[in-house]
Amino acid sequence: MVLDTPLERVFDYLWTGEETPQVGQFALLTFGRREMVGLIVAMKQNSDIPRDKLKSVLTVRQQLSPVSSEWIALCSFAADYYQRPLGEVALPAIPKNCRTSKTTALDKALKKLSLSLEVKGEPSESPQLNAAQQNAVQHIVDAKGYAPSLLYGVTGSGKTEVYLQAAAQVLARDASAQILILVPEINLTPQLQGHFQARFPELTVAVLHSGMAEGERTLHWLAAHTGKARLILGTRLAILASLPALKLIIIDEEHDPSYKQQEGLRYSARDLAIWRARQLNIPVVLGSATPSLETWQHTISGRYVKLSLPDRAVAAAVLPKMRLIDIAKDRPQEGLTASLISALKQRLDKGEQSLLYLNRRGYAPVIACDACGWMSNCTRCSAFLVLHKQEHKLRCHHCSFELRIPKSCPTCGNSDIQPLGRGTQRIEENLQKFFPDAKIRRIDADSTRLKGSAQAAFETVHRGEVDILIGTQMVAKGHDFKNLTLVGVINPDNALFSQDYRAGERLFAQLMQVSGRAGRAAQKEGGSVSEVLVQTRYPQHPLYHALKTHDYPRFAKECLAERQQAGLPPFIFQALLRAEAKELQIAIAFLRQAAELNVPEGIIMHDPIPMSLMKMANSERAQLLIESHSRPALQAFLKEWLLQLRTLKPRITWSLEVDPVDI
Ligand code: ADP
Ligand code: ZN
Ligand code: ZN
């Protein structure tokens, strides 16, 4: 029996009932003084524990069909690879309603499941594929067994249509086949769900993401688990869904950092998808216009097949023209250059939409006092409190600590304290001053707190009720805005000088993605040429150069060469041990102790260092990087090392991350 506990063990329980339970069933039992639901992973005749000491299983969840051995193997692999107990992987991956002592909610969901799941949309016809799309679909459906491919298609090249038509063929030839489609953001699921439901009106589509209410989540999970849902759409957590008839996995925007879970079981949904496809011997498609360097490298080495869609799917739609606006020459007023203002004005005059992208929410990232130099620091984190003007608050984006905006400087009493820098709220306010009649809409995490509000906001854009959309990376991904001909990028330069070696790769992907929102339909008669304006102080930077020519392959080639030379992933394998304590020295001391444990040859142990955001929520944090040229060697070492670490019984919080993305 496997239980959701930090103990890395399988527990023996006694079965005294009639019908022998099956592996994969869930059972209610007592653990200590609590009732818990466990997963049966093996049945055996004998136990090392004497019979009279064994506790009995209370009941087996008969109403829930067993999970497959494939699913248990997937969880075991994840537990093993990411160095976590199996119970902490497998149990949290099923809905709460399936693992509580009462079964009322579960029974209700099962009853509901026999009815229908979702309202059906308008049926849609499939368009004629272009040659490149046709080739991609053919390759995917012709694949025999495990076949990983990269669908490398520029923005607007019709990757979704490839997914739809490949899905159609896989579903048609196997009456029970299930297909899993992953997207990076919750707010992209409604659009995709619409496409799939319209194309397959007779099939049940299940959706799985973290924004769902518990009852809804149970229902959709059960639809997947029972095989009723043939199409399963979701964010990263959907990779751990129980799917008894999985025949194809699709990961859209595979490069997206959100596929990496950043707490608890720190898994990569993309990497697990690859593993799952290999285990099931089925094809897996990774889609992107800016693939991760790991994936790109695999296409070079031949491990993945590259399927290219080089052109936009709508014949008359062309990639937008890129313009780098040198802010040393064209000085921004209130964050906006004259070039951008005039480009916006042109779109307003023609009744076209524009999008302004600024990856920083709030009004201003900090407020400061000119007289004494005071700045709005968070007392609990090594970060600034961000000004949220409308809510009259200063708020920490790391620990959520809040203060009312002070009327005067808390240090010297000066009443003239000023916001420094700009966030989306400030740009919104300034835009309204420049264009008092324009319909301006901001979409970011602050404006879309309420459930369903993000979707409602995106719909107003699609309906043409918005002239200028301003937003963070929430607006950059995936959306197919038909009447948008201008993208303005404000202040992207910070990432050029970040310590994080992945910052450049991420910036490039974000800018390519957001650029891809422009010019997705044919240019209208008398309409504007679609354009992207990037306001930068470094127009000569090679990253912007590659961006200007839409040249991902060149960018990737340069990055990979740098990575190889510097000995960075994907040319090396990494793990990161993090520790936090009241004082930095305590965290460092623990890491130092860990680093001095027996380290075999082939493992590179670095020195402990403070994390770049050193203090968070009153904890001081440090990290220790471990590297190896061999993944198996690293895995073997980590396993041993963790056993030793646990015997140190550190009295601080620590965690290990395999294949870390934020270093
Ligand atoms: P991507 O995901 O690659 O950015 P989409 O799948 O959103 O691109 O497709 C962009 C647009 O092209 C959509 O409006 C889609 O309906 C349209 N489209 C896709 N394939 C075709 C095709 N073969 N013929 C005509 N239009 C197409
Ligand atoms: Zn002051
Ligand atoms: Zn804070």
Side-chain angles (χ1 to χ4, degrees), residues 369 372 409 412:
C369 168
C372 76
C409 171
C412 75

Side-chain angles (χ1 to χ4, degrees), residues 590-647:
F590 164 68
L591 295 179
R592 190 159 292 135
Q593 207 182 356
E596 281 161 8
L597 293 172
N598 183 24
V599 177
E601 205 146 309
I603 299 293
I604 307 156
M605 186 66 79
H606 291 255
D607 289 328
I609 53 167
M611 284 174 64
S612 56
L613 185 73
M614 188 193 92
K615 188 171 161 197
M616 192 162 99
N618 281 333
S619 281
E620 307 215 327
R621 316 184 307 160
Q623 65 185 36
L624 171 63
L625 181 66
I626 308 110
E627 296 182 310
S628 175
H629 289 281
S630 150
R631 202 194 287 271
L634 181 61
Q635 281 284 319
F637 165 68
L638 291 176
K639 195 134 281 163
E640 272 303 304
W641 194 49
L642 279 186
L643 287 177
Q644 295 180 49
L645 277 183
R646 290 200 185 98
T647 61

Side-chain angles (χ1 to χ4, degrees), residues 273-300:
I274 295 286
W275 193 88
R276 198 168 185 179
R278 189 166 51 200
Q279 185 195 212
L280 283 169
N281 215 17
I282 59 171
V284 50
V285 181
L286 310 180
S288 181
T290 51
S292 64
L293 292 176
E294 281 81 0
T295 297
W296 192 250
Q297 180 61 24
H298 284 325
T299 65
I300 294 169

Side-chain angles (χ1 to χ4, degrees), residues 146 148-153 251-256 259 268-271 273-274 284-307 502 505 552 556 560 563 569-571 631:
Y146 170 63
S149 54
L150 166 67
L151 182 62
Y152 167 56
I251 305 170
D252 196 24
E253 315 289 7
E254 65 87 27
H255 62 278
D256 201 285
Y259 285 121
S268 152
R270 180 196 58 216
D271 296 351
I274 295 286
V284 50
V285 181
L286 310 180
S288 181
T290 51
S292 64
L293 292 176
E294 281 81 0
T295 297
W296 192 250
Q297 180 61 24
H298 284 325
T299 65
I300 294 169
S301 73
R303 282 176 66 178
Y304 299 175
V305 170
K306 183 168 79 189
L307 306 168
R502 282 180 211 267
E505 179 186 357
Y552 170 80
L560 282 169
R563 297 267 184 98
F571 302 100
R631 202 194 287 271

Side-chain angles (χ1 to χ4, degrees), residues 57-73:
V57 166
L58 300 177
T59 52
V60 170
R61 287 279 139 92
Q62 293 298 353
Q63 62 271 66
L64 210 54
S65 53
V67 290
S68 64
S69 55
E70 179 268 329
W71 188 79
I72 298 177

